[in-house]
C-alpha cells in the first residue's frame, strides 16, 4: 500500500527517576476508554516517581538532563517499544546521589537546550554542540555543577519539555 509508509505509530515515552525509559505504543494503553478502571503504564519501585511523559512518533531525538549538570542525547530508536507495565530500559547512567530531572524530545539538532541551576545561573546550548552519545551513558557536561552554580534544577528550550516540577 502506498499510504502505509506514511502511517506513524504514536508512542508515549515515560521517564522515571531510576532513570528508566519506557516507550509504549499509544494504542495498547487505551487510557480513559472504560476498559479498566486503572491502567499501569510503567512499573515503578517504591521510591520511584515519574519525571516526564512525552507523546512521540518513534523517530525523534531524546535528551535527558541530570541534576549533576550532565546531558545525554540519543535516538529514540535506541529505546525499544514495550508493553504496559514494563520496567523500561536505562536512559542515563548517574553518579551516586544524582537524579535525572528532565526529559526533552527534539526534532532537529538545531534546537536549543537551556539548563538552569539553583543559584540562578543558566546556559543555552544548541543541541548540535552536544556529543550524540548512546542511551545508558553518562553523557556530556551541559553546565558546571559547582558551588557557585549549585545543582541543576531544570532544562528547557525550544524542545518539547517534560521536567520534574514543571507546569
Amino acid at each position: 500500500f502506498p499510504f502505509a509508509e506514511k502511517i506513524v505509530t504514536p508512542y508515549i515515552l515515560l521517564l522515571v527517576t531510576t532513570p528508566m525509559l519506557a516507550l509504549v505504543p499509544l494504542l495498547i494503553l487505551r487510557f480513559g476508554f472504560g476498559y479498566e478502571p486503572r491502567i499501569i503504564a510503567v512499573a515503578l519501585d517504591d521510591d520511584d516517581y515519574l519525571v516526564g511523559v512525552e507523546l512521540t512518533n518513534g523517530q525523534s531525538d531524546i535528551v535527558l538532563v541530570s541534576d549533576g549538570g550532565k546531558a545525554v542525547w540519543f535516538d529514540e530508536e535506541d529505546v525499544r517499544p514495550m508493553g504496559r507495565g514494563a520496567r523500561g530500559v536505562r536512559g542515563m547512567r548517574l553518579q551516586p546521589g544524582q537524579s535525572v530531572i528532565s526529559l526533552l524530545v527534539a526534532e532537529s539538532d538545531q534546537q536549543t537546550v537551556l539548563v538552569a541551576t539553583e543559584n540562578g545561573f543558566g546556559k543555552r546550548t544548541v543541541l548540535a554542540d552536544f556529543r550524540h552519545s548512546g542511551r545508558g551513558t553518562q553523557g556530556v557536561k551541559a553546565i558546571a555543577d559547582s558551588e557557585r552554580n549549585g545543582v541543576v534544577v531544570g532544562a528547557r528550550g525550544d524542545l518539547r519539555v517534560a521536567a520534574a516540577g514543571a507546569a
Side-chain angles (χ1 to χ4, degrees), residues 100-117:
V100 64
I101 59 166
S102 291
L103 165 65
L104 307 137
V105 176
E107 304 302 329
S108 162
D109 66 356
Q110 294 306 304
Q111 292 174 284
T112 60
V113 178
L114 174 64
V115 180
T117 65

Side-chain angles (χ1 to χ4, degrees), residues 61-74:
D61 286 332
I62 306 300
V63 180
L64 306 179
V65 180
S66 75
D67 62 357
K70 297 275 186 106
V72 62
W73 172 31
F74 57 91

Side-chain angles (χ1 to χ4, degrees), residues 116-122 148-149:
T117 65
E118 68 180 343
N119 293 337
F121 293 95
R148 179 193 81 136
N149 292 347

Side-chain angles (χ1 to χ4, degrees), residues 19 21 61-64 71-79 89-94 130-140:
L21 279 168
D61 286 332
I62 306 300
V63 180
L64 306 179
V72 62
W73 172 31
F74 57 91
D75 295 326
E76 185 178 355
E77 288 135 5
D78 293 346
V79 182
V89 295
R90 181 190 301 264
M92 183 177 199
R93 186 171 302 279
L94 298 172
F130 289 130
R131 184 181 75 237
H132 197 273
S133 53
R135 178 187 63 76
T137 63
Q138 288 186 22
V140 297

Side-chain angles (χ1 to χ4, degrees), residues 12-159:
I12 291 183
L13 183 66
L14 302 113
L15 174 66
V16 296
T17 53
T18 37
M20 302 297 278
L21 279 168
L23 184 67
V24 183
L26 187 60
L27 297 175
I28 70 167
L29 288 177
R30 305 184 307 195
F31 284 118
F33 294 111
Y35 294 106
E36 297 177 39
R38 292 176 295 187
I39 295 177
I40 297 173
V42 64
L44 295 174
D45 293 334
D46 289 337
D47 58 344
D48 226 358
Y49 64 91
L50 197 60
V51 172
V53 178
E54 282 288 340
L55 186 63
T56 68
N57 61 11
Q59 301 168 351
S60 301
D61 286 332
I62 306 300
V63 180
L64 306 179
V65 180
S66 75
D67 62 357
K70 297 275 186 106
V72 62
W73 172 31
F74 57 91
D75 295 326
E76 185 178 355
E77 288 135 5
D78 293 346
V79 182
R80 68 183 178 277
M82 49 198 71
R84 292 190 336 214
R87 178 127 169 83
V89 295
R90 181 190 301 264
M92 183 177 199
R93 186 171 302 279
L94 298 172
Q95 297 295 321
Q98 291 183 351
S99 61
V100 64
I101 59 166
S102 291
L103 165 65
L104 307 137
V105 176
E107 304 302 329
S108 162
D109 66 356
Q110 294 306 304
Q111 292 174 284
T112 60
V113 178
L114 174 64
V115 180
T117 65
E118 68 180 343
N119 293 337
F121 293 95
K123 181 179 177 184
R124 182 178 293 275
T125 308
V126 176
L127 191 57
D129 290 346
F130 289 130
R131 184 181 75 237
H132 197 273
S133 53
R135 178 187 63 76
T137 63
Q138 288 186 22
V140 297
K141 188 172 283 197
I143 193 168
D145 179 15
S146 64
E147 189 176 318
R148 179 193 81 136
N149 292 347
V151 297
V152 175
V153 294
R156 293 185 176 257
D158 58 354
L159 304 175

